[in-house]
Amino acid sequence: MTNPDEYYPVNTLPALAWALNLYFKKGAPFKESRIIEMILPADKHKEKLKTKAVHEIAVWIADKQVYARARCPYDKKCSFNSERILAKNREELKSLPWDKIDQTKYYPILRKWLLALDFDYITLIRALAVVCDKKVQLPLETKYGRTFKKFNEYRSYRFPEDAKPDNMPRFLEEVLVRVGFWIQSAAEVDALK
């Protein structure tokens, strides 16, 4: 079984929630008129060996806060269901069944969700960089012995050449991947604040 500290959502969603707090304080644009959920398909709900529905983990923004919860669309009493959790609470996020989702599809789904929300992406990426520095004890020495003075130094290390700001979907996804691994690297050496 995978260590809950290694799940991609456990490392990116808190950083995203912290960054959005800064983003909203800055007064950057956000259309709050609609709620768009990110749905991550998880395990299957079965009864009498027949699949009745696909469990899902939903992530959404309401009242300028990011929430997540596990839910079964077939049965409200299913044990898969959970209460909603504030995404900025990393320890509580670990309680969700992230092992049931396809981790390899997580970052493309997250990117599509953020693009659908129509943020000012440059401001959002700057906010992510700020919280990555603010929430980690610097300089960060990883368990592999590499030392990084700031997140931007870590982010730009071997950054793919095709991930440029003029290709925002690709750029945003790559930054999110780097954010997730930055938070995970900090958690591995007890450097998260």
Side-chain angles (χ1 to χ4, degrees), residues 148-187:
F148 297 96
K149 293 177 186 170
K150 290 196 170 275
F151 171 71
N152 200 45
E153 183 182 332
Y154 178 84
R155 181 197 64 80
S156 58
Y157 180 71
R158 294 186 180 175
F159 203 74
E161 288 192 23
D162 67 328
K164 303 266 185 211
D166 58 348
N167 182 359
M168 189 48 69
R170 176 78 180 96
F171 184 74
L172 180 61
E173 185 174 336
E174 191 61 34
V175 168
L176 290 166
V177 168
R178 303 291 170 125
V179 166
F181 282 103
W182 174 258
I183 298 297
Q184 180 181 335
S185 296

Side-chain angles (χ1 to χ4, degrees), residues 46-60:
K46 292 186 176 186
E47 288 186 7
K48 297 181 182 176
L49 302 177
K50 289 187 180 181
T51 300
K52 298 293 185 179
V54 175
H55 291 154
E56 54 195 33
I57 297 178
V59 179
W60 71 97

Side-chain angles (χ1 to χ4, degrees), residues 47 89 98 133 145 172:
E47 288 186 7
N89 188 330
W98 299 112
D133 287 343
L172 180 61

Side-chain angles (χ1 to χ4, degrees), residues 8-34:
Y8 297 158
V10 166
N11 294 305
T12 49
L13 291 178
L16 181 61
W18 302 328
L20 285 174
N21 282 343
L22 283 178
Y23 180 90
F24 294 133
K25 282 181 188 173
K26 182 85 174 158
F30 177 65
K31 295 177 185 172
E32 207 169 354
S33 59
R34 57 195 170 129

Side-chain angles (χ1 to χ4, degrees), residues 114-165:
L114 289 173
L115 290 172
L117 289 168
D118 201 26
F119 289 109
D120 175 4
Y121 300 105
I122 300 302
T123 305
L124 179 60
I125 289 167
R126 285 181 182 154
L128 281 166
V130 168
V131 299
C132 281
D133 287 343
K134 190 176 176 184
K135 297 288 187 174
V136 172
Q137 294 172 7
L138 298 174
L140 174 64
E141 184 174 337
T142 68
K143 71 177 183 178
Y144 302 107
R146 286 205 47 110
T147 302
F148 297 96
K149 293 177 186 170
K150 290 196 170 275
F151 171 71
N152 200 45
E153 183 182 332
Y154 178 84
R155 181 197 64 80
S156 58
Y157 180 71
R158 294 186 180 175
F159 203 74
E161 288 192 23
D162 67 328
K164 303 266 185 211

